[in-house]
Amino acid sequence: MISMELAAKIWRCHQEIETAKKLHAEALDMIAKAEPPHWKDAFGRHQGLQLGIPCGDNAHRIFDVSPSAAIAVLVDHIAAKEKDLMELNNQAHEDSRV
């Protein structure tokens, strides 16, 4: 039987892949529609792309990340999570045989 912990890891991988693919599609669409790309927040203000590491009081963020860098990060993230998912699926198959 597959453990609850393994099932949760599989679900998180699926969720990350789905979210990253949606962001990737949105980013490609926004890049295609704007020259140069201009993203706006909910209030209509210009917002550049951001990359951040949320670490409590010591969170770090960079602003105005280039669209090509953002696309590269998303593609890499999707590939990494798909690899993780394959490994978890293999583990689930092994666990279900026991």
Side-chain angles (χ1 to χ4, degrees):
M1 178 182 290
I2 296 171
S3 70
M4 188 183 306
E5 181 181 334
L6 180 57
K9 287 179 181 178
I10 291 170
W11 182 86
R12 280 192 298 274
C13 272
H14 278 292
Q15 188 66 28
E16 281 293 307
I17 292 167
E18 181 180 341
T19 301
K21 284 183 176 181
K22 285 179 185 177
L23 285 170
H24 183 254
E26 287 177 21
L28 289 176
D29 187 50
M30 292 173 93
I31 289 167
K33 287 180 179 178
E35 187 60 44
H38 294 288
W39 286 272
K40 294 183 179 181
D41 64 14
F43 302 103
R45 298 177 297 211
H46 170 74
Q47 292 291 323
L49 297 174
Q50 301 174 22
L51 180 62
I53 300 173
C55 296
D57 293 340
N58 295 325
H60 300 286
R61 235 178 358 176
I62 57 174
F63 299 89
D64 292 322
V65 174
S66 74
S68 60
I71 295 296
V73 167
L74 289 167
V75 167
D76 183 65
H77 184 67
I78 292 166
K81 289 300 172 185
E82 286 176 340
K83 181 180 179 248
D84 290 348
L85 183 58
M86 284 184 3
E87 291 170 1
L88 291 168
N89 281 331
N90 289 337
Q91 184 178 345
H93 287 292
E94 290 173 12
D95 290 357
S96 66
R97 290 184 201 147
V98 175

